[in-house]
Amino acid sequence: HVLHNGIDLTKFLPSPLAGEGPGVRGLRAEVQLPLSAQLIGIIGQIILRKGQDAALAAVAPLLQSDPALHAVILGERHSEKLETVEYERKLHAIAAGAGVAARVYYPGTRDDVPQSLPQFTLLLHMARQEPLGRVLLEAAACGVPVVATDVGGTHEIFPRAVDDGALLVPVDDAAAARTAVQTILADDALARRMGLAGRKRIESAFSVEQSAAGL
């Protein structure tokens, strides 16, 4: 028997059900962005296996061409290993080298992710390893379209890909991720359809009640 993680569907809600609470206004105020700005969310501990470098490599050209587009990296580096310290520096170097550092934000670790997630235009998750990413469940539950690497249990979350709310791409394939992101950004109807499909998928298979009953 496989028992998947479950999440609280009353906590992770699509906008406008999630509202614009203090956490949302706080995040927007910190990065000084209006609610109309398009945000690409990248969430996870800053560590090599989470693939933030691949995510930035994918979106940097998009940020160059569209001044209304921004990227927010939520999470912090906890490891003091030299390779991880250098990895964090690499992230800043990628954005700086592309001339888009002013539109890549690092708010760090946050406790208002349920309120912040619905404000993202999409979630970009370029993990190189991912048993079953909770942030993918949470984003989909919030009606946020997902672009993610097809690793670990990610295909179990989104077996029908776009019809379950996600576009899946190979590991470290920045070009494929960029194309997927562009596809969503360019098609509001597709983004809405994916958002609704993602919420429906999580409701059908990943509620905390289902996980508890299965256990």
Side-chain angles (χ1 to χ4, degrees):
H1 297 277
V2 176
L3 302 181
H4 291 112
N5 290 334
I7 62 169
D8 185 348
L9 293 173
T10 67
K11 182 177 180 181
F12 293 92
L13 293 164
S15 181
L17 295 177
E20 296 175 14
V24 175
R25 289 196 296 272
L27 176 60
R28 290 279 178 162
E30 286 171 33
V31 298
Q32 298 182 343
L33 292 179
L35 290 175
S36 59
Q38 287 191 307
L39 290 181
I40 296 173
I42 302 167
I43 300 179
Q45 181 185 170
I46 294 179
I47 191 170
L48 183 63
R49 66 182 177 85
K50 288 299 184 181
Q52 290 97 341
D53 55 339
L56 282 178
V59 302
L62 304 180
L63 294 172
Q64 287 174 327
S65 61
D66 185 355
L69 187 61
H70 306 259
V72 176
I73 298 178
L74 296 186
E76 291 184 359
R77 173 181 58 81
H78 300 301
S79 172
E80 294 299 328
K81 291 182 179 179
L82 179 59
E83 66 177 15
T84 310
V85 173
E86 290 297 326
Y87 175 70
E88 184 177 31
R89 290 175 182 160
K90 178 183 177 182
L91 300 184
H92 291 273
I94 291 171
V100 297
R103 283 186 286 121
V104 178
Y105 309 96
Y106 300 84
T109 298
R110 308 200 52 103
D111 58 7
D112 61 354
V113 173
Q115 293 77 36
S116 299
L117 261 174
Q119 306 306 309
F120 291 138
T121 307
L122 61 87
L123 178 79
L124 178 58
H125 193 68
M126 294 293 287
R128 297 179 171 98
Q129 299 173 326
E130 195 62 87
L132 195 84
R134 288 188 62 86
V135 71
L136 301 176
L137 302 177
E138 293 166 355
C142 290
V144 177
V146 171
V147 174
T149 44
D150 191 0
V151 295
T154 301
H155 191 268
E156 293 180 44
I157 302 174
F158 307 109
R160 300 181 303 161
V162 68
D163 290 327
D164 285 323
L167 294 174
L168 303 184
V169 300
V171 171
D172 284 329
D173 194 333
R178 186 179 309 122
T179 297
V181 169
Q182 283 179 305
T183 298
I184 295 171
L185 293 178
D187 191 337
D188 290 342
L190 174 64
R192 286 193 296 271
R193 180 163 68 87
M194 289 179 65
L196 291 171
R199 175 70 186 187
K200 184 176 180 180
R201 171 63 179 155
I202 302 307
E203 288 178 338
S204 70
F206 295 99
S207 72
V208 69
E209 291 82 6
Q210 288 168 304
S211 294
L215 182 58

